[in-house]
Amino acid sequence: YRQGFGMLIPLILDQLSINLISVLATSMISASSQESVSAVSLVNPAIMLITALYGAIASGGAVIVAQYKGRGDEERVRLSAGQSMLAIFSAALLCSVLLIAGARPLLGLLYRGLDPAVMEKAVGYMRGFSCSLAPYSIYAAAFAAFRGAGATKVCMGMSITMNAIYLLASILFLNVLKLDIAGTALAYNVARIIGAAMSLVLITRPGGAICIGLRHVLTVSRPILRSIARLAVPFAVEQIFFNGGTLLAQTYMVQLGALAVAANAVGNSAFLMLYCTGTAVANLTITLVGQCVGRGDRQLARQYARGMLLLGTLASLASIALFLPLMNGILSLYAPPEETLSLVRRLLYIAMAGLPLFWALSNVLPNALRAAGDAGFTTAVSLVSLWAVRVGLGYVLALPLGLGVSGVWVAMVLEWAARGLVFLLRYRGEAWLSKKTLEE
């Protein structure tokens, strides 16, 4: 537990830096114009739909690294990190080409009738952001490998450095040079290229937490790639359909008007601050449970999963207690009209009502199951709950029942509850601890 808490603090600082900088960046975009923040909010689900692919590979790689670390097999730790980097970079390069070439047709298909000014900004933002996917994949692969190995201080340093560069670049391009939405995309590219270079230095450094060479990246290890794929494919399917559901929700949210789209974007950005500590706990869960499973200690894996669930719940309560006194100050950064601000507050209160009750069950606990190799079950549950509750019920609440964007957020909380209950029942059984993950 001492080691666990030693790894947790850097992860919390990492998530705080990521989310705080995201809040500041979104507030700068919002200050540019409502059209800009609407364009970013409409494009983000489409981008996340594609980047979910290499995010899933990174998560699979983190689990495999953690399990080999638990076994004490350092050579396979390095080989797993290298194979993960090769797979993620290849996927990201393909996604980048597809998004750049298909930006306008894709957005035109998704958002028929969208305001032309918003459409032009959205197309430019998607193309500019897509250029950063390949360098970011290198950073993501290295970050996931270090996290799986338990080197969370290295992760924290990488994250804070890259996000600080992004913030400074955003200030330069948005506030000083007034490049509007193009400045946001340019800031991402600058930060991620530097982040990729930094990652390569750290992961190839002799004497570092993980020291890989070209042979670990370029030598194809089918057993390790199959192990990564066994975890990555279900998680990729889950993330693709999850972000597809979010994208579908955006398409019917457009019918609610620009005010609802802008309020949803600001609310989502501010909400990042509420669950950043919980996300750190969820990330730590993969490392701890994965290493216990790799060592063959199932009882300890169950014990850590239970401890992380409790810690995630306490983290949610603490986040709310800290956020409430600061909420008005944080929202003022976005400079929204009063009507938008009132709606954003309502959305955040809805989320805060369910956060301590259901968020850890639906986000921390599935990471414990995935770390043990139970990825197929978590994917199936997540997809059913997403499409039945968050998308389906969200549509009914938002449009036919007239709750508007508030209905979408109510459905989100109910989806946490439904998903979390099923994961809790799964955790209480034995099936999740009987999965075979590693291949020799």
Side-chain angles (χ1 to χ4, degrees), residues 100-110 123 127:
I100 291 171
R104 188 175 296 278
L106 175 62
L107 292 172
L109 177 65
L110 291 172
V123 169
R127 287 174 174 165

Side-chain angles (χ1 to χ4, degrees), residues 65-127:
V65 167
Q67 292 197 10
Y68 278 125
K69 188 73 175 179
R71 284 190 177 189
D73 191 337
E74 293 298 329
E75 177 59 24
R76 285 186 177 266
V77 166
R78 290 189 285 270
L79 189 56
S80 299
Q83 296 296 283
S84 177
M85 182 170 291
L86 174 63
I88 296 170
F89 180 78
S90 301
L93 194 60
L94 176 62
C95 293
S96 179
V97 172
L98 291 175
L99 281 177
I100 291 171
R104 188 175 296 278
L106 175 62
L107 292 172
L109 177 65
L110 291 172
Y111 304 121
R112 295 181 184 277
L114 185 64
D115 181 272
V118 177
M119 176 60 78
E120 287 304 312
K121 290 190 174 189
V123 169
Y125 177 68
M126 176 175 278
R127 287 174 174 165

Side-chain angles (χ1 to χ4, degrees), residues 325-396:
L326 303 173
M327 182 170 69
N328 288 334
I330 291 173
L331 295 181
S332 68
L333 295 173
Y334 298 93
E338 182 55 39
E339 189 179 6
T340 303
L341 188 59
S342 176
L343 182 53
V344 171
R345 287 197 191 97
R346 188 191 312 161
L347 300 180
L348 290 174
Y349 286 137
I350 291 169
M352 282 187 277
L355 190 71
L357 297 173
F358 310 122
W359 192 89
L361 281 172
S362 62
N363 291 275
V364 174
L365 203 51
N367 271 10
L369 304 182
R370 290 188 191 101
D374 198 19
F377 179 82
T378 59
T379 294
V381 172
S382 297
L383 292 183
V384 171
S385 66
L386 168 72
W387 287 89
V389 182
R390 188 174 296 200
V391 176
L393 182 60
Y395 175 81
V396 173

Side-chain angles (χ1 to χ4, degrees), residues 129-324:
F129 186 94
S130 298
C131 294
S132 73
L133 295 182
Y136 182 67
S137 69
I138 297 172
Y139 169 89
F143 188 94
F146 283 127
R147 192 183 72 198
T152 56
K153 289 183 180 178
V154 178
C155 294
M156 179 184 69
M158 291 170 61
S159 178
I160 290 176
T161 301
M162 191 178 75
N163 282 287
I165 292 170
Y166 169 65
L167 178 61
L168 293 174
S170 295
I171 292 172
L172 173 63
F173 298 137
L174 287 171
N175 289 8
V176 178
L177 299 180
K178 306 293 184 183
L179 297 181
D180 194 28
I181 204 166
T184 302
L186 188 56
Y188 271 117
N189 279 275
V190 169
R192 290 179 169 189
I193 290 170
I194 295 174
M198 172 182 61
S199 302
L200 288 174
V201 170
L202 290 172
I203 205 166
T204 58
R205 183 178 57 183
I210 302 176
C211 178
I212 68 171
L214 275 178
R215 65 185 179 87
H216 297 114
V217 178
L218 299 181
T219 302
V220 176
S221 171
R222 288 189 176 87
I224 287 180
L225 287 175
R226 282 196 297 267
S227 295
I228 293 173
R230 188 177 292 116
L231 296 168
V233 170
F235 191 50
V237 171
E238 176 185 335
Q239 289 299 300
I240 288 171
F241 277 92
F242 176 85
N243 288 289
T246 304
L247 188 60
L248 183 60
Q250 288 279 29
T251 62
Y252 64 70
M253 205 175 298
V254 168
Q255 300 176 42
L256 301 173
L259 172 64
V261 173
N264 184 65
V266 172
N268 278 320
S269 176
F271 187 51
L272 289 173
M273 301 304 297
L274 275 164
Y275 64 80
C276 63
T277 306
T279 301
V281 175
N283 289 337
L284 179 61
T285 301
I286 289 179
T287 302
L288 296 182
V289 175
Q291 290 192 17
C292 291
V293 170
R295 192 161 46 194
D297 195 335
R298 296 183 177 183
Q299 186 55 40
L300 192 59
R302 183 183 293 277
Q303 179 182 329
Y304 273 118
R306 183 171 59 248
M308 291 299 101
L309 176 61
L310 176 60
L311 186 59
T313 302
L314 294 176
S316 296
L317 288 168
S319 296
I320 292 172
L322 291 172
F323 181 80
L324 278 172

